[in-house]
Amino acid sequence: EVQLVESGGGLVKPGGSLRLSCEVSGIAFSLHSMHWVRQVPGKGLQWVSSIDTRGLNMYYGDSVKGRFTISRDDAKNTLYLQMNSLRGEDTAVYYCARDFSDWGQGTMVTVSS
Amino acid sequence: DIQMTQSPSSLSTSLGDRVTITCHANQDIKTYLNWYQQKPGKAPKLLIHDASGLETGVPSRFTGSGSGTDFIFTITSLQPEDIATYYCQHYNYHPRAITFGQGTRLEIK
């Protein structure tokens, strides 16, 4: 069974940083592109970032470009999202996804003073 | 940038009804389109890939069609467990960009 488990969410002040993790099991993690998608509670889905296999290429949505960094550790079967210079509008549930076929349960990030 | 326009934003339906949701792209996206179901408090679930491919284990009452700029998602006979919000999603490889539609919330009349 494929499992994706996010962690690292929480409350952070504007301008602060947070690192999200997504631990993956049940699949050959290194063979798959991975993604982060976020959702403001009660609102729609927004793509945040993607990373290809072996971390060869990383891609970002316009709203996070220059502030967020996606990475992966294939030895640990783990995907990361380093979020810097956080803003109120980054408040959302953050999901990780494998090829968009499998998703984690999400982790809540709240940016507030 | 590619924009996806999904309609309607909400739909009041009855059990057994045929439900149709549309998604329009502002430029040709071939069949690079997925459809998702999301229930409250849960992660999205991929139902249809590449415009018309049914994901393994997804009931056959869910169908997708279209190519280019116009796409249709259909539930042929609405079941109680289908009450959810549905999203279309375009994915582009070069350059990589992923865009979701605004979502369609299904409600029971």
Side-chain angles (χ1 to χ4, degrees), chain A residues 33-108:
Chain A
S33 295
M34 297 294 297
H35 314 276
W36 288 100
V37 173
R38 69 186 182 184
Q39 185 173 38
V40 174
K43 302 296 185 183
L45 300 166
Q46 182 186 34
W47 171 66
V48 173
S49 183
S50 298
I51 186 167
D52 288 344
T53 56
R54 293 181 287 165
L56 289 178
N57 294 292
M58 290 80 77
Y59 309 90
Y60 301 93
D62 288 342
S63 59
V64 307
K65 208 171 290 184
R67 301 187 298 124
F68 290 11
T69 302
I70 191 172
S71 62
R72 64 191 297 160
D73 185 335
D74 288 349
K76 294 183 178 180
N77 288 350
T78 302
L79 173 73
Y80 301 101
L81 185 68
Q82 177 67 43
M83 305 186 295
N84 298 332
S85 303
L86 283 161
R87 307 166 180 167
E89 54 264 37
D90 296 318
T91 294
V93 176
Y94 285 73
Y95 296 101
C96 63
R98 190 273 303 183
D99 291 339
F100 295 110
S101 297
D102 299 293
W103 295 63
Q105 83 288 352
T107 187
M108 184 71 203

Side-chain angles (χ1 to χ4, degrees), chain B:
Chain B
D1 288 2
I2 293 176
Q3 307 295 327
M4 305 302 297
T5 303
Q6 184 176 342
S7 62
S9 57
S10 64
L11 193 54
S12 186
T13 65
S14 299
L15 298 180
D17 276 0
R18 182 182 185 90
V19 172
T20 299
I21 299 168
T22 64
C23 200
H24 173 78
N26 64 346
Q27 55 185 278
D28 185 352
I29 62 169
K30 298 178 173 47
T31 57
Y32 296 130
L33 187 101
N34 296 333
W35 290 97
Y36 297 84
Q37 175 193 69
Q38 187 180 32
K39 297 183 178 179
K42 300 294 187 183
K45 175 185 177 182
L46 180 62
L47 301 179
I48 303 285
H49 63 87
D50 300 317
S52 60
L54 192 67
E55 281 287 294
T56 302
V58 174
S60 58
R61 65 180 180 273
F62 296 99
T63 66
S65 64
S67 66
T69 60
D70 293 293
F71 301 85
I72 296 173
F73 173 80
T74 301
I75 307 172
T76 54
S77 178
L78 189 72
Q79 301 301 302
E81 60 268 29
D82 302 336
I83 298 304
T85 299
Y86 293 84
Y87 295 91
C88 64
Q89 176 213 43
H90 163 60
Y91 53 95
N92 195 61
Y93 286 107
H94 301 288
R96 182 68 59 86
I98 293 159
T99 308
F100 288 91
Q102 298 86 346
T104 297
R105 182 180 174 192
L106 297 188
E107 301 170 337
I108 295 290
K109 278 182 186 173

